[in-house]
Amino acid sequence: MERSLLIEMTRDKYVERCKQRALDHLDRGDLKSAVAAFVGNMNARPDCELPSYLATLGASLLRADDAPGWRTLIEGLK
């Protein structure tokens, strides 16, 4: 997606869209795609970049194959 289109959408709407896409992957049982989609989409927009501590937590949850943990992380993000 073109970067200018990403910025035209409000931050709140963009974050909700990123969360929903990732949760859709989780609902299909695809943790790796959920993580890739969420991190990639959030980091595509400067005002939505994930802090390093969340990236570290997310990596730990992925290594542990902890889909419920990822769901909690995604749903709790504002």
Side-chain angles (χ1 to χ4, degrees):
M1 181 177 288
E2 191 175 312
R3 192 164 188 86
S4 63
L5 295 175
L6 296 177
I7 294 173
E8 289 176 12
M9 185 182 298
T10 66
R11 182 189 182 283
D12 290 343
K13 185 173 181 178
Y14 184 79
V15 169
E16 285 306 312
R17 189 179 79 169
C18 292
K19 290 167 66 171
Q20 189 55 55
R21 286 182 175 177
L23 292 172
D24 289 345
H25 286 289
L26 282 179
D27 290 342
R28 291 191 302 273
D30 190 352
L31 177 60
K32 288 182 183 180
S33 292
V35 172
F38 188 68
V39 172
N41 289 330
M42 290 295 289
N43 288 341
R45 189 170 149 154
D47 62 341
C48 295
E49 288 182 45
L50 296 174
S52 60
Y53 71 90
L54 283 181
T56 301
L57 173 60
S60 296
L61 292 169
L62 181 59
R63 279 193 302 277
D65 199 31
D66 187 351
W70 257 100
R71 181 174 298 279
T72 300
L73 188 147
I74 292 167
E75 290 173 345
L77 190 74
K78 299 288 179 202

